[in-house]
């Protein structure tokens, strides 16, 4: 199973994560830090734990936000084409 790590194209991954202005890595770190801060504030106020369904919804929101950051140019192009139809 470790051979997949050796076969990965780490140079392409690194160049993707440092591309952009600000770099993609910084945007992902900032977004995930925001969700971590929200979790810390909720925990410090003594709120009761989330239900299983709500926890799944929050995890899907974090995943969706990360995917939006990763695929931002494609999403912007799609939304522009969608808006130009009307």
């Amino acid at each position: 199973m470790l051979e997949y790590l050796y076969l990965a194209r780490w140079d392409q991954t690194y160049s993707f994560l440092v591309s952009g202005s600000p770099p993609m890595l910084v945007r992902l770190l900032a977004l995930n830090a925001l969700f971590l801060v929200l979790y810390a504030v909720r925990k410090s106020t003594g709120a009761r734990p989330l239900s299983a369904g709500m926890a799944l919804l929050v995890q899907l929101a974090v995943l969706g936000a990360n995917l939006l950051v990763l695929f931002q140019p494609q999403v912007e192009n799609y939304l522009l084409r969608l808006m130009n139809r009307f």
Side-chain angles (χ1 to χ4, degrees), residues 3 12 26 31 33-34 36 38 40 45 48 53 62 80-81 86:
E3 66 266 4
Q12 290 178 350
V26 172
L31 178 67
L34 173 71
L36 182 64
L38 291 175
T45 59
R48 56 189 181 93
V62 171
L80 282 174
R81 274 191 269 134
F86 300 109

Side-chain angles (χ1 to χ4, degrees), residues 42-57:
R42 179 175 163 74
K43 186 115 175 135
S44 68
T45 59
R48 56 189 181 93
L50 294 175
S51 66
M54 188 55 101
L56 180 63
L57 184 66

Side-chain angles (χ1 to χ4, degrees), residues 46-86:
R48 56 189 181 93
L50 294 175
S51 66
M54 188 55 101
L56 180 63
L57 184 66
V58 169
Q59 289 175 353
L60 287 174
V62 171
L63 179 65
N66 282 310
L67 287 174
L68 280 175
V69 168
L70 286 173
F71 297 108
Q72 181 181 357
Q74 291 88 349
V75 171
E76 286 177 351
N77 287 337
Y78 175 75
L79 291 176
L80 282 174
R81 274 191 269 134
L82 187 65
M83 289 174 62
N84 285 337
R85 281 192 203 174
F86 300 109

